[in-house]
């Protein structure tokens, strides 16, 4: 039976963009399955006491510049030359995350990720602009009207909260986080370890 990689995901994390594309390749090579669990990163930070790295590490001499170097190395290694840091970072991703929750099934959820990741991290759309988001969804052949209307549903709102709380209960504190067979990996730097596990190695 193929393993399932659960990706704890929020559009607001630039590392979420970086991890998505190599992760898909790893899952395909391993013959595994991928599921996306939308969470609200802002809520996760509040629950865990975490903060965006550029804020959390601002007082540590040398750490933020080194993190930027490693970030660029990852972009270069994977040929991600279209990535552009969002000028509004850190921005509120609540509407985008509710759109993900409102997906009818896993296939639609991943299609939404595919449609909106480039919009956010390559073209830097305003993530609070419903019209801009609707345009991106519609261009990808998705039902923008249904998905955006659902962001106001009480059940959708509650599910996003529940997803976030459950992820934190299991140990998640940031994005990207991955779970396989109850084991957790955090960060794009752990993708190699995750692949090894999928191939039969130890966590």
């Amino acid at each position: 039976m193929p393993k399932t990689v659960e990706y704890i995901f929020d559009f607001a994390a630039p590392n979420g963009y970086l991890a998505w594309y190599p992760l898909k390749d790893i899952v395909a090579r391993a013959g595994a399955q991928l599921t996306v669990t939308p969470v609200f990163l802002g809520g996760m930070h509040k629950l865990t006491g975490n903060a965006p790295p550029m804020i959390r590490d601002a007082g540590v001499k040398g750490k933020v510049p080194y993190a930027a170097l490693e970030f660029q190395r990852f972009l270069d290694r994977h040929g991600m030359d279209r990535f552009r840091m969002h000028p509004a970072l850190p921005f509120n991703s609540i509407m985008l995350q509710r759109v993900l929750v409102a997906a009818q099934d896993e296939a639609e959820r991943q299609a939404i990720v595919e449609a909106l990741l480039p919009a956010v991290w390559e073209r830097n759309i305003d993530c609070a602009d419903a019209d801009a988001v609707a345009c991106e969804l519609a261009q990808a052949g998705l039902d923008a009207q249904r998905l955006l209307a659902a962001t106001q549903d009480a059940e959708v709102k509650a599910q996003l909260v529940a997803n976030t709380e459950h992820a934190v209960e299991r140990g998640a504190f940031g994005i990207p986080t991955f779970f396989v067979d109850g084991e957790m990996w955090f960060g794009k730097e752990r993708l190699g370890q995750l692949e090894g596990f999928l191939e039969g190695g130890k966590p």
Side-chain angles (χ1 to χ4, degrees):
M1 183 176 180
K3 291 186 179 297
T4 297
V5 179
E6 179 190 7
Y7 187 12
I8 305 297
F9 177 81
D10 188 320
F11 283 108
N15 281 318
Y17 170 97
L18 269 63
W20 174 253
Y21 301 101
L23 176 64
K24 289 198 306 174
D25 291 340
I26 288 169
V27 167
R29 286 195 297 270
Q33 297 177 344
L34 176 63
T35 64
V36 174
T37 298
V39 299
F40 182 45
L41 183 57
M44 181 179 286
H45 282 172
K46 186 174 293 187
L47 289 169
T48 61
N50 199 2
M54 76 287 287
I55 297 173
R56 183 189 66 231
D57 299 332
V60 181
K61 183 175 175 60
K63 191 168 184 181
V64 173
Y66 181 75
L69 174 62
E70 284 289 277
F71 194 93
Q72 188 60 51
R73 285 173 176 167
F74 193 96
L75 290 172
D76 293 343
R77 185 180 313 123
H78 294 281
M80 297 179 178
D81 55 356
R82 294 188 297 274
F83 176 86
R84 300 291 181 269
M85 189 60 75
H86 204 294
L89 188 71
F91 55 81
N92 190 326
S93 60
I94 193 77
M95 179 171 62
L96 302 185
Q97 296 308 108
R98 288 175 181 169
V99 166
L100 279 178
V101 171
Q104 289 182 327
D105 53 29
E106 185 60 31
E108 184 175 56
R109 183 166 294 116
Q110 293 188 31
I112 293 167
V113 175
E114 290 283 346
L116 294 183
L117 265 185
V120 174
W121 293 110
E122 296 173 13
R123 299 189 295 280
N124 297 156
I125 66 166
D126 181 350
C127 297
D129 185 339
D131 290 338
V133 174
C135 182
E136 298 291 341
L137 293 171
Q139 287 179 359
L142 295 159
D143 189 342
Q145 184 175 359
R146 171 178 57 82
L147 290 166
L148 284 167
T151 63
Q152 300 307 307
D153 289 351
E155 289 185 5
V156 168
K157 294 179 180 180
Q159 186 62 58
L160 182 59
V161 172
N163 285 358
T164 304
E165 292 175 345
H166 185 50
V168 169
E169 288 168 2
R170 290 184 288 160
F173 52 85
I175 307 297
T177 296
F178 319 100
F179 286 97
V180 183
D181 292 347
E183 297 284 348
M184 186 182 98
W185 287 261
F186 169 72
K188 64 186 184 299
E189 299 82 7
R190 305 295 179 266
L191 286 169
Q193 295 178 11
L194 176 62
E195 183 166 20
F197 181 72
L198 291 173
E199 292 172 348
K202 294 182 179 180

